Amino acid sequence: MFRTLTLAPPDAIFGLTEAFGRDPNPDKINLGAGVFKDEAGRTPVLAAVTAAERRLVDGERSKVYRPIVGEARYGELVRDLVFGDEPPPGLGDRCVTAHSPGGTGALRVVGECLAKLPRRPTVWVTTPTWANHRAIFSAAGLRLEALPYFDATANALDFGALLDGLNRPAPGDVVLLHGCCHNPTGVDPSPTQWQQIAERLSARELLPLVDFAYQGFGDGLQEDAQGVRMLAERLPELIVCSSFSKNFGLYNERTGAVSILAENADAAELVRSNLKVAIRSNYSNPPAHGANIVRTILDDAELASGWRAELAMMRDRIRGMRTLFVETLAAKRASLDGAAILRQRGMFSLIPGVGPAAAQSMRDKYSVYIVDSGRINVAGITPSNVERLCDALVGVL
Ligand SMILES: Cc1ncc(COP(=O)(O)O)c(C=O)c1O
């Protein structure tokens, strides 16, 4: 039977990490996968996480199954992180939060729930978007369509085209937006633009699905949630998929959540029951460890403030490297718009003019690994590799 299969292509990003591993060059640079790295190029375990794990090891008495949607307390803490400690009145009764295996797990469970709606919606994604969005929603049986988003020439949001594009989906369709730190462009709407997006979604009766994988990596935990919170105030229904892979550094613990706002408490019960069915037939119930860590940290004032400080350190390091990158490019007289790169937020930057051929030559000639689309992970830049990175970019441009 298996001989009838055709060879599937390697994953664009994990495949790049494998190729990086095989490269014997001691000066190789990996700016592919979206993971935070410190000045020494390591992806550390946060101190708050280690402290929480110590407590968990000492206190854990059983590994019995968790509820299908995870622990209620975890759900409350995630809800407050997303919607704030003082959310709009009544939001608590309208909101169902389920613990999921990472942000990917959250998106997939949402996809399966959407595919069961009596009128199966189309999912509209920004151009470009995280490559896995298409794979996840088509695997769940949904049709995808593209919305304009990025103006490659200006290296900026094409807001007029996005607003216009929002006139195309049919009422009831789903619009997938990045809560902050858009992957791969680093280009986000301003608060005023979020307000206009919320109004357009409401007027056109569209359902926003916010992928919130980088809360705290842009301008801060609260600042990064402004867009999501505006949508929550303006719209009767909203879906948010959170990932704690990046902001808690829990990549391999597969920790995330889906929060769904329904128009009232009765509709929220319908949502909860259907979410449970989608989860039960998928992975049955969530893996506990990562969520235990997040709950332990967020429920303890001291651990939570330590975590916020570590998150700020990660954010500041990425910003510092963005500035250093732009300054080094300028010193080499590279023909790139530094101001546009500095306006971007989060881990990523999409380098104009770099496509698959240039990315390939960066690998072959310079052992610099970036995604074929020209996306670089700014968090992989260090003071000791920035010169070589910029030489490679200038070389291929
Ligand atoms: C935009 C976006 N959404 C979701 C995810 C998934 O995160 P997780 O590793 O928690 O599944 C990522 C990870 O890179 C991402 O960039």
Side-chain angles (χ1 to χ4, degrees):
M1 289 289 282
F2 297 142
R3 293 181 54 178
T4 62
L5 290 171
T6 49
L7 195 64
D11 180 83
I13 291 173
F14 280 83
L16 206 59
T17 307
E18 286 164 22
F20 175 80
R22 289 191 298 269
D23 187 334
N25 184 346
D27 292 329
K28 59 191 176 180
I29 302 173
N30 187 3
L31 304 183
V35 298
F36 174 80
K37 291 184 195 166
D38 63 17
E39 295 249 314
R42 286 179 304 239
T43 303
V45 180
L46 301 187
V49 167
T50 304
E53 286 185 306
R54 288 222 169 83
R55 286 192 201 174
L56 288 167
V57 168
D58 290 343
E60 195 168 54
R61 297 286 170 268
S62 171
K63 296 240 182 236
V64 74
Y65 292 124
R66 288 298 150 101
I68 295 174
V69 292
E71 296 257 303
R73 182 64 188 145
Y74 174 78
E76 286 165 10
L77 291 163
V78 172
R79 188 192 63 207
D80 292 351
L81 202 58
V82 173
F83 297 109
D85 296 333
E86 288 174 24
L91 179 136
D93 297 333
R94 291 168 46 214
C95 182
V96 179
T97 299
H99 164 194
S100 63
T104 307
L107 291 162
R108 179 61 193 258
V109 163
V110 163
E112 294 193 3
C113 289
L114 293 173
K116 292 231 171 72
L117 286 170
R119 180 196 165 275
R120 188 180 283 211
T122 295
V123 179
W124 294 73
V125 294
T126 61
T127 313
T129 194
W130 182 46
N132 214 12
H133 282 149
R134 277 192 177 273
I136 292 169
F137 291 105
S138 40
L142 292 161
R143 225 166 62 88
L144 286 106
E145 288 278 359
L147 277 174
Y149 187 84
F150 184 60
D151 175 348
T153 317
N155 203 346
L157 178 61
D158 193 345
F159 188 61
L162 172 63
L163 267 196
D164 259 5
L166 289 176
N167 291 324
R168 284 181 55 215
D173 274 354
V174 172
V175 175
L176 199 171
L177 298 163
H178 299 223
C180 64
C181 309
H182 184 271
N183 180 2
T185 64
V187 168
D188 292 329
S190 67
T192 324
Q193 290 170 335
W194 271 112
Q195 199 65 50
Q196 286 173 267
I197 292 171
E199 277 158 24
R200 184 61 54 93
L201 292 170
S202 164
R204 302 271 308 127
E205 295 181 17
L206 302 172
L207 172 57
L209 160 51
V210 177
D211 184 350
F212 208 13
Y214 296 92
Q215 186 178 3
F217 267 59
D219 292 309
L221 282 169
Q222 307 307 326
E223 294 83 343
D224 292 352
Q226 280 186 82
V228 175
R229 292 177 190 172
M230 283 181 195
L231 297 181
E233 272 182 24
R234 191 81 180 73
L235 288 139
E237 298 180 331
L238 166 68
I239 305 174
V240 183
C241 293
S242 300
S243 163
F244 301 123
S245 301
K246 325 280 167 161
N247 50 12
F248 282 83
L250 289 174
Y251 306 90
N252 66 16
E253 298 297 353
R254 313 306 304 133
T255 313
V258 47
S259 301
I260 303 186
L261 275 192
E263 62 180 337
N264 56 38
D266 289 344
E269 273 323 299
L270 298 176
V271 166
R272 186 189 304 278
S273 65
N274 282 278
L275 254 183
K276 281 182 171 171
V277 172
I279 293 171
R280 181 75 172 127
S281 58
N282 191 330
Y283 50 87
S284 187
N285 51 79
H289 188 63
N292 284 345
I293 294 170
V294 170
R295 175 182 43 74
T296 306
I297 293 175
L298 293 180
D299 241 349
D300 181 285
E302 204 182 320
L303 288 182
S305 102
W307 165 65
R308 282 193 296 270
E310 288 181 281
L311 179 58
M313 255 159 44
M314 293 196 278
R315 181 170 61 239
D316 291 346
R317 198 191 99 68
I318 299 173
R319 280 201 185 163
M321 288 305 106
R322 202 177 267 287
T323 307
L324 181 65
F325 175 55
V326 168
E327 287 170 357
T328 313
L329 282 172
K332 293 185 189 299
R333 301 190 185 286
S335 54
L336 284 170
D337 178 359
I341 298 176
L342 287 176
R343 276 195 300 273
Q344 296 162 354
R345 285 287 170 272
M347 271 190 178
F348 302 115
S349 192
L350 199 62
I351 305 298
V354 176
Q360 180 74 45
S361 18
M362 285 179 75
R363 290 196 281 281
D364 296 346
K365 288 200 201 145
Y366 302 94
S367 292
V368 175
Y369 290 73
I370 71 166
V371 183
D372 276 354
S373 60
R375 186 193 85 171
I376 63 164
N377 174 13
V378 179
I381 303 176
T382 66
S384 55
N385 71 19
V386 70
E387 286 284 335
R388 275 178 293 118
L389 163 66
C390 294
D391 285 339
L393 270 173
V394 170
V396 299
L397 285 168

